[in-house]
Amino acid sequence: MGNMGNMQGMMKQMKKLQTEMTAAQDELNQTEFSATSASDMVTVTFTGDHRLKDIAIKPEAIDPDDPDMLQDLIIEAVNAGLKAVDDATQAKMGKYTRGL
């Protein structure tokens, strides 16, 4: 009979942990993360669920004779934005996944 009470306690604890994880993930998904390229020529904004919400490109970054530069700036900003999302996710959710 003692094991049954212990099992119920564990189930209650798991449910609480699941609720906390869901709330933390929801909070992350609603958070916005911005990142910029070199010289702040391109700025991107992501939500915590890795969705690109906005991209701003300064007019001086658009050189018709050098489209590769703009591509590089966009890639740099997007990668920095995704890294910011991943870092925040690890910081917030890592406590739930440590040891797994």
Side-chain angles (χ1 to χ4, degrees):
M1 209 59 159
N3 284 341
M4 199 62 152
N6 191 23
M7 182 66 111
Q8 286 176 339
M10 283 179 27
M11 293 298 286
K12 188 174 182 179
Q13 202 171 17
M14 291 291 288
K15 180 69 174 167
K16 180 180 179 223
L17 183 62
Q18 183 180 18
T19 300
E20 289 174 5
M21 285 177 61
T22 300
Q25 188 64 58
D26 288 346
E27 183 181 329
L28 269 171
N29 290 348
Q30 293 177 23
T31 303
E32 291 185 1
F33 300 87
S34 292
T36 59
S37 66
S39 305
D40 297 329
M41 298 289 255
V42 176
T43 301
V44 295
T45 303
F46 284 92
T47 57
D49 56 354
H50 294 90
R51 298 201 184 270
L52 181 61
K53 185 173 180 178
D54 189 37
I55 184 167
I57 301 170
K58 289 187 176 179
E60 56 268 25
I62 304 170
D63 182 351
D65 297 325
D66 190 8
D68 289 342
M69 180 188 72
L70 180 55
Q71 291 170 351
D72 290 344
L73 292 171
I74 291 170
I75 290 168
E76 180 183 8
V78 166
N79 286 336
L82 290 173
K83 182 177 182 335
V85 172
D86 289 343
D87 290 349
T89 300
Q90 179 60 38
K92 189 164 206 74
M93 302 301 289
K95 66 182 174 186
Y96 299 111
T97 59
R98 274 188 204 100
L100 295 179

